[in-house]
Amino acid sequence: MKKTYIYLLALVLCLMVACSGKKDNDTPIKKTTEENIEQSAGETTTVPESDTSSDDGGDEESTENTEDTENKEDENNTTSLKPTGPDTTVDMNEITTTVKGTTTTAPDADDEPEKQTTTEKQTTTEKQTTTEKQTTTKKQTTTEKQTTTAAEEKTTTTKNSGVVDNTPLELDINPSDKAIKKAESIVDSIITGSMTQYTKVKTIHDWIVTNVDYDIEGVENGSCAPSVFRVEGALCNKLAVCQGYAEAFELLCYKAGVQAYMVYGEAGDDPNNLQSHAWNVVKIDGEWYQIDCTWDDPLINRQVITDGSNITYTYFLLTDDEMYVNHYADYEWSTKIQTCTSTLYKGYAEKLSVEAAMSDCENSKVVSSASELKKATKNYVSSGILYFAVAAPQSAGVTSDMIGEAISEGIIAGGIKNVKGYSYSYRDVCSYTVYIITVTLKES
């Protein structure tokens, strides 16, 4: 029995010694692991200078994840995601850079710190999205307000091109109150809000050419009244010279919401015999064009025609190269002169001029040769249309005999009786000749 107690006591002592030895062995192992973790974190962690955290942010390359390391990583990431002040806007790109800068190796998808970081990213994204929506709404409201203001200020706006010019309109002339009221009355009667800028300019051009007479007698006799040099003469008295025409065009455009300026200089087909002259530049859909209403209002046989049949568009919406063939701007006086290079309306001068010359005829046709003119004339007459217009190129070689033959053939083909005779007038317009033909019947 005594031997048994001795044996058991020895066994207990052995167990105690063994347990004591295991505890001593575990202590240096744990210490070594913590030292490795701290050393690894020091090698792999990059902390931004602006980070106020005293921790390294954790070792995400280590093969062991301790609870202390996870807490340190979580704390560091949370600090990086917080804005620096109440007015700070959180930028997701900056957040991503900060988080990436904290570690050189991306954590595994199963790591808890990454899940928390992702949650905070989503929260920040939602917050940022809300902020962007609010900002967009505010911006749209501001834009609508600006658009309303621009409309009230009569800024240049066009419907056909979508171009919006917010430059305030200017006048480089000083019209009287009487002229301003007259201009407003004219614009109200000829301009509508649905018109494009091009249509407004053409309508104003046509009104001036049709309604304003050039003071040829005053110029020849040297007896021009002072008013003919001003907008008052053109709009109120409907009698003016080139400067009055140009001032009237600028003021009417201004009241219609279109920018135009005066151009001063000289003009003439003979460079050795130039005369002082004034015309305009006008802005349509953001592009500048040359325009001369005076020279588009020609005298016919030295007589002023006011029925509109003398409208031409030879100097309507030209480029600098086209206008400066016989116009020479004085840049010293024309401080608002603009460069005109757009060819958008090239060819309009001839087309519009021919159409205007035939506008009095309900039936009209533009042809390209003498044979086509003869055919068109015959068809009109044979159909019982006895008043019509035909335009042909001047180079086509149309003769009076050719017109007579076509009319005779048309009378026969249409079985028209009681024909008394026919007459026609013609007028050269640009490179075309416009023929106005009338067949007269006998009175029954």
Side-chain angles (χ1 to χ4, degrees), residues 334-392:
S334 302
T335 57
K336 297 293 185 179
I337 195 168
Q338 303 291 327
T339 301
C340 306
T341 58
S342 174
T343 57
L344 180 62
Y345 299 104
K346 188 175 182 64
Y348 273 49
E350 187 162 71
K351 176 179 180 294
L352 293 174
S353 297
V354 171
E355 289 177 353
M358 299 190 299
S359 61
D360 187 45
C361 296
E362 183 178 350
N363 299 283
S364 61
K365 187 176 182 63
V366 178
V367 299
S368 59
S369 64
S371 60
E372 287 186 7
L373 181 139
K374 185 176 179 179
K375 181 179 179 180
T377 300
K378 177 182 176 180
N379 290 340
Y380 276 133
V381 176
S382 63
S383 300
I385 298 173
L386 306 180
Y387 179 69
F388 55 92
V390 184

Side-chain angles (χ1 to χ4, degrees), residues 3-71:
K3 290 182 179 181
T4 302
Y5 284 132
I6 293 173
Y7 176 77
L8 291 173
L9 180 62
L11 180 60
V12 169
L13 290 174
C14 289
L15 291 172
M16 290 176 66
V17 171
C19 291
S20 176
K22 182 177 181 181
K23 184 176 182 179
D24 292 339
N25 290 335
D26 285 343
T27 300
I29 291 174
K30 184 175 182 180
K31 183 177 181 181
T32 301
T33 302
E34 291 177 351
E35 290 176 353
N36 291 338
I37 292 173
E38 292 177 357
Q39 182 178 1
S40 177
E43 293 176 354
T44 62
T45 303
T46 302
V47 182
E49 294 181 359
S50 59
D51 194 347
T52 58
S53 174
S54 59
D55 296 328
D56 293 335
D59 176 22
E60 295 187 11
E61 288 185 343
S62 175
T63 58
E64 293 184 28
N65 293 323
T66 65
E67 182 177 354
D68 292 340
T69 304
E70 291 176 353
N71 291 336

